[in-house]
Amino acid sequence: MKKFFVTLVCAVLAALTVVGFTACNDGSAPDKVNLVGMGTDASGVVPRNDVDYFVVPEPAASAKIKATASSPNGFKMVGDLQQLYGEDNGYPQAVVVVKNSLFSSGNGLGHFMNALTSNASWLQEDSTEISTIVEAVTTHLPSGTTPMFSANNLTKSVIANCGIRFTRASDDKTEIKSFLTDLKTVQPSVNATPADSFFFDGGFAGVINPYESLEIYAPDGAPALALAGLMAGEVDTGYVANTINYHIVNASTIQTHVTGANPDADICILPVNLAANLLGSGEKYTMLGTVTHGNLYIISAKTGKQITADNISELKGKTVGVVNLAAVPGLTFKLILNKYKIAYTELS
């Protein structure tokens, strides 16, 4: 009878939550941060009894806050993973690589790198219309694709939160290697020691010649913003090529464009860990630099108290839902917890 009563209580408690994994012997720990995967997008991020915080990328974080603004228990921005990481410039999240064959066929890459720098400034100019940015990205998506950015969720503050800034590999090499070393502590398969030849040394020689054509790929989301001004024709590429074809693709497929016997991408933006793992030998591609420096934030529908380096230990015993737990968002959050010596466990 006692066993039946305990079983009944657990069933009732589970029914009171949206998903009953925090009730009754679910593996959650009071002395650890309890992590729950939220899938590969933010569709499952909604106010719920069984999750205290969510780690969400922009623009989804701001969109969730806006969508629940009229609710008494709406989402609030309570943490910034870039600040918690502890570096002034955030962490290197997405990088741009180029086929080595391009170095011998022309010197337009110097202009391309300058264009990436100009694009970051263009995005934040008062005269730059959000509609121009959205159109530039969406017109280069595959037909039928739902764009990550729209006029409803993209603002200048969201763009600022995406950390769009081009830093040359020659200036960012130490920080990139340090970040990869940190990532390896939470995912041993990460290549923490890409070859020195993988990092572009910053020098160009010879006459500046345009390429005949270039195929440039980037995943949808914050990395696509790093090309928005170029795609819109608002940022001068300096006659990099006679023809430039831009392709904005689903983040889950970006690696397919830099692998194989004849990769599609002449230039490609992809997550730094993926770049290091797939291309770190420097045999086929060279890293030009970093284009995004973190776009991950903590939101909560239960509290407005800010999570900072001084009180991050308050996450112990709490449940945190993480979008893309197995990829860069989850790995970054885990390495931040490691940094502050906070244990974590993953709930099924």
Side-chain angles (χ1 to χ4, degrees):
M1 185 60 143
K2 181 178 180 181
K3 182 177 181 181
F4 171 78
F5 178 74
V6 171
T7 301
L8 179 62
V9 169
C10 283
V12 171
L13 288 175
L16 292 176
T17 61
V18 177
V19 177
F21 54 69
T22 58
C24 295
N25 197 28
D26 64 343
S28 59
D31 59 338
K32 299 179 181 180
V33 177
N34 301 286
L35 305 178
V36 179
M38 301 306 301
T40 57
D41 59 45
S43 58
V45 177
V46 295
R48 46 198 280 180
N49 292 333
D50 55 344
V51 180
D52 302 293
Y53 299 91
F54 294 89
V55 172
V56 185
E58 286 284 35
S62 291
K64 294 295 180 180
I65 292 170
K66 180 180 179 181
T68 60
S70 60
S71 170
N73 296 314
F75 281 120
K76 294 164 280 292
M77 189 83 77
V78 298
D80 179 340
L81 263 63
Q82 292 67 238
Q83 291 183 355
L84 291 171
Y85 181 69
E87 299 294 334
D88 293 338
N89 295 322
Y91 48 86
Q93 187 168 338
V95 298
V96 56
V97 299
V98 59
K99 272 184 180 175
N100 291 344
S101 59
L102 269 67
F103 287 98
S104 61
S105 59
N107 200 11
L109 289 174
H111 285 318
F112 178 73
M113 294 166 75
N114 290 337
L116 291 176
T117 298
S118 298
N119 178 81
S121 299
W122 174 81
L123 288 170
Q124 287 292 344
E125 289 176 1
D126 292 339
S127 59
T128 301
E129 298 287 342
I130 293 296
S131 59
T132 301
I133 299 172
V134 171
E135 182 179 5
V137 174
T138 56
T139 55
H140 292 89
L141 283 165
S143 178
T145 301
T146 300
M148 189 169 293
F149 292 115
S150 70
N152 291 326
N153 67 15
L154 189 64
T155 65
K156 289 298 177 68
S157 63
V158 168
I159 292 171
N161 286 347
C162 287
I164 309 298
R165 184 178 66 260
F166 179 66
T167 307
R168 295 184 179 227
S170 54
D171 297 325
D172 214 22
K173 178 179 176 180
T174 299
E175 181 60 31
I176 289 171
K177 284 194 169 185
S178 176
F179 184 66
L180 290 171
T181 298
D182 287 344
L183 284 182
K184 191 173 183 65
T185 65
V186 295
Q187 188 179 62
S189 61
V190 169
N191 176 13
T193 56
D196 286 341
S197 60
F198 181 52
F199 299 89
F200 178 57
D201 63 11
F204 289 103
V207 179
I208 297 176
N209 299 313
Y211 302 103
E212 183 59 34
S213 65
L214 289 176
E215 303 295 326
I216 301 179
Y217 285 79
D220 194 13
L225 293 178
L227 298 173
L230 286 68
M231 293 188 292
E234 297 289 338
V235 173
D236 183 12
T237 60
Y239 199 27
V240 171
N242 294 323
T243 302
I244 302 178
N245 297 313
Y246 296 97
H247 310 270
I248 307 302
V249 301
N250 188 289
S252 64
T253 67
I254 192 64
Q255 72 276 5
T256 65
H257 302 288
V258 293
T259 53
N262 296 296
D264 299 330
D266 294 311
I267 296 174
C268 188
I269 296 175
L270 66 168
V272 63
N273 61 320
L274 206 56
N277 277 8
L278 296 176
L279 312 171
S281 67
E283 294 177 4
K284 288 188 176 181
Y285 285 85
T286 296
M287 182 192 297
L288 292 180
T290 306
V291 293
T292 71
H293 298 258
N295 68 326
L296 299 169
Y297 294 85
I298 303 174
I299 64 175
S300 177
K302 292 187 174 184
T303 179
K305 184 176 181 180
Q306 296 296 302
I307 299 297
T308 68
D310 294 329
N311 66 3
I312 190 173
S313 61
E314 292 184 17
L315 292 179
K316 290 181 180 180
K318 304 297 185 182
T319 298
V320 181
V322 183
V323 175
N324 253 327
L325 180 59
V328 170
L331 298 179
T332 303
F333 187 52
K334 289 177 180 178
L335 73 84
I336 287 173
L337 293 176
N338 278 355
K339 174 179 180 176
Y340 292 97
K341 296 180 173 53
I342 298 174
Y344 58 83
T345 185
E346 290 188 36
L347 303 181
S348 58

